[in-house]
Amino acid sequence: MPLVKTWQLIAGSAVAGLALSAAVVASAGPWDSGQRKAERDKAASWSRTGGADHGSGSAAGGLPQAAPSAPGVLQGVGQARSQAAATPDGLAAALRPLLADRALGTVRTASVVDTATGEVLYESGSRDAMTPASTVKIATAAAALAALGPEHQIRTTVAPGAGPGQIVLVGGGDPSLTAKKKSPAGSGGSLPKLAGDAAAALKAAGTYSVTLGYDDSLYTGPARHPIGDNPNIALVTSLAADEGRTDDSVSGPVDRVDDPAKEAARAFSALLVEHGINVTGAPAKAKPAAGAQPLAVTLSTPLSGLVERMLTNSDNDIAEALARQTALASGQPASFEGAEKAVAARLASLGVDVAGTRFADGSGLNREDKVYAGLLTGILTKAAGTDHPELRPVLTGLPVAGFTGTLRARNSGSSPAAGLLRAKTGTLSGVNSLSGTVVDRSGRLLAFAFLTKDTPGPEGAEKALDKLAAAVAGAP
């Protein structure tokens, strides 16, 4: 399936009920590893209209147009989008009793914004800094896209080493890099292809035996996340294949290898041997020769696709990689500390008020992260507008209620938000959050964020959050 440069949402008027056919939804985004296919197949099976424009067409020079009045991502409930728009009074009446649910813990904050106008339709503690859990990935995504652009690709290279007969595998921080001959996660950097290209270059130069070094020095500071050894994230290193996973999974918690860079180098060594290059000794850390040109290069999934994978699957490894890429693009050290400064600065450059916030990591695993509900709706509003088309993957990567990623089983079936809601989930012990976009009864695109603290358990909190999101979709 051909790659699409950037997901595009339809240019829309404010007229309610604007809809596109499911055939338009069938056009895939920058990645397709089963999640988007499931969404397309289910949409096509309904023969109803709805959805944002995920095609490559655009009304103005090929750039994405404003998203605010686009109708449902999928018209999951089959109802005409012609009712009156939700009002502040209607939203307040619908949300206040739901926010009182004890399942939402001791502190609950909320923000709902009309993305077309920027009007705040409802807020409660929307400026209170809270631990966001994985909803901070919305901020990480926006910062990375602002810093690098949606078409940016991360390089993994093979270069001549300083010693005779030495080559060096140089990590650039590509979180999509795989050692598998057929990647289960779609496009991305490929060690098998890199080995084939490197072997061809070596043979062309008459070299059939090498020693192999590897360079993972691009990132600095601690590689282990402050959460410690945890199956939700590997060591944060600039060289890793398949996120250091010890099985064939592509998302979710799993045990990780102890040294992702060394394991990637070992896999690359074996691939070189398969291509007729003798590798003497075990791979060891090394630096490429000064000024040496690469023998071979492999490129990551474009940044737009990485953002979408990260948001759909709540991928912590991609999130930390994007935070460090933001740091590198901003002249900061590629460390937790450097990424924190860079993410805040990039968001501020977009006009987002970052006062009182902290981005201690890119994934949301760190409880020291602090954001406020209004910041999240502010980012989503900017991603839906015309001024920053580079941010569009922030919207298109969000899981779809009842269909994809972490929302596959939430607000599904007969829920008024099924197919009309895209949102990023957040879960830590005692912390549950939900932030994204939803189409109201008139077809307006609304941004929302609900952050909680001291929740008694995730199951009850998630159900309560889902009711809040559904209420935004159906409020009078």
Side-chain angles (χ1 to χ4, degrees):
M1 179 170 293
L3 295 179
V4 176
K5 285 188 175 182
T6 57
W7 277 46
Q8 298 178 341
L9 300 179
I10 188 168
S13 69
V15 178
L18 181 65
L20 295 177
S21 69
V24 177
V25 179
S27 186
W31 70 281
D32 189 341
S33 61
Q35 300 285 3
R36 295 294 182 245
K37 184 176 185 300
E39 178 183 340
R40 297 198 313 270
D41 290 349
K42 194 160 186 177
S45 73
W46 284 345
S47 73
R48 297 193 181 103
T49 57
D53 182 4
H54 298 160
S56 58
S58 176
L63 291 176
Q65 299 300 297
S69 60
V73 177
L74 302 173
Q75 188 140 331
V77 295
Q79 61 187 146
R81 313 305 290 176
S82 58
Q83 294 95 330
T87 65
D89 288 344
L91 278 168
L95 297 180
R96 281 174 183 163
L98 296 176
L99 282 167
D101 192 332
R102 292 181 180 179
L104 294 174
T106 60
V107 181
R108 320 87 188 266
T109 65
S111 174
V112 181
V113 175
D114 181 345
T115 63
T117 64
E119 179 188 1
V120 176
L121 299 176
Y122 181 81
E123 61 181 343
S124 177
S126 63
R127 288 286 314 185
D128 297 344
M130 302 274 284
T131 298
S134 278
T135 56
V136 82
K137 291 183 173 76
I138 292 172
T140 302
L145 289 164
L148 295 159
E151 309 308 325
H152 178 76
Q153 292 175 279
I154 303 167
R155 292 159 50 100
T156 304
T157 64
V158 178
Q166 184 188 53
I167 60 172
V168 180
L169 176 64
V170 183
D174 175 10
S176 69
L177 186 66
T178 182
K180 295 179 172 62
K181 293 180 180 177
K182 184 176 181 180
S183 172
S187 66
S190 170
L191 283 181
K193 183 180 184 302
L194 187 64
D197 291 347
L202 289 168
K203 290 175 182 178
T207 301
Y208 290 84
S209 182
V210 297
T211 59
L212 176 63
Y214 63 94
D215 182 3
D216 64 346
S217 63
L218 184 63
Y219 293 172
T220 59
R224 191 170 299 284
H225 190 280
I227 199 173
D229 189 5
N230 189 286
N232 284 293
I233 190 168
L235 292 178
V236 185
T237 173
S238 62
L239 178 60
D242 302 296
E243 298 183 340
R245 294 175 176 273
T246 54
D247 62 10
D248 291 329
S249 65
V250 296
S251 64
V254 70
D255 289 339
R256 311 304 179 96
V257 298
D258 293 333
D259 190 336
K262 181 180 286 187
E263 290 301 323
R266 287 174 177 169
F268 186 71
S269 176
L271 290 165
L272 285 174
V273 172
E274 289 184 17
H275 285 281
I277 301 297
N278 179 51
V279 181
T280 60
K285 287 193 175 187
K287 291 281 190 180
Q293 293 299 307
L295 299 172
V297 178
T298 187
L299 299 176
S300 74
T301 302
L303 191 70
S304 57
L306 292 176
V307 163
E308 291 192 331
R309 291 190 200 181
M310 173 187 71
L311 293 172
T312 296
N313 292 327
S314 199
D315 192 303
N316 299 310
D317 299 282
I318 295 178
E320 297 304 344
L322 294 187
R324 277 165 171 69
Q325 294 296 318
T326 303
L328 290 169
S330 304
Q332 293 287 346
S335 62
F336 284 107
E337 293 78 8
E340 178 176 354
K341 294 176 182 177
V343 168
R346 288 293 174 175
L347 293 177
S349 73
L350 292 171
V352 176
D353 184 359
V354 295
T357 62
R358 185 179 177 192
F359 304 95
D361 69 359
S363 61
L365 291 172
N366 195 329
R367 291 177 179 274
E368 297 303 312
D369 290 325
K370 299 296 177 185
V371 306
Y372 56 94
L375 177 141
L376 296 175
T377 54
I379 292 172
L380 294 167
T381 297
K382 289 184 180 298
T386 57
D387 292 341
H388 295 284
E390 73 276 12
L391 301 183
R392 196 72 81 243
V394 174
L395 299 187
T396 59
L398 294 171
V400 181
F403 289 90
T404 61
T406 55
L407 286 187
R408 181 182 294 274
R410 294 175 59 174
N411 263 321
S412 57
S414 61
S415 167
L420 303 178
L421 163 72
R422 284 190 185 271
K424 181 70 200 74
T425 58
T427 306
L428 293 171
S429 178
V431 173
N432 296 91
S433 54
L434 190 67
S435 180
T437 62
V438 68
V439 181
D440 77 359
R441 299 190 311 162
S442 71
R444 287 187 309 174
L445 190 70
L446 307 183
F448 69 87
F450 301 110
L451 306 178
T452 70
K453 178 182 178 182
D454 298 329
T455 57
E459 183 176 355
E462 288 175 2
K463 289 181 179 179
L465 288 168
D466 290 345
K467 289 179 182 179
L468 285 164
V472 176

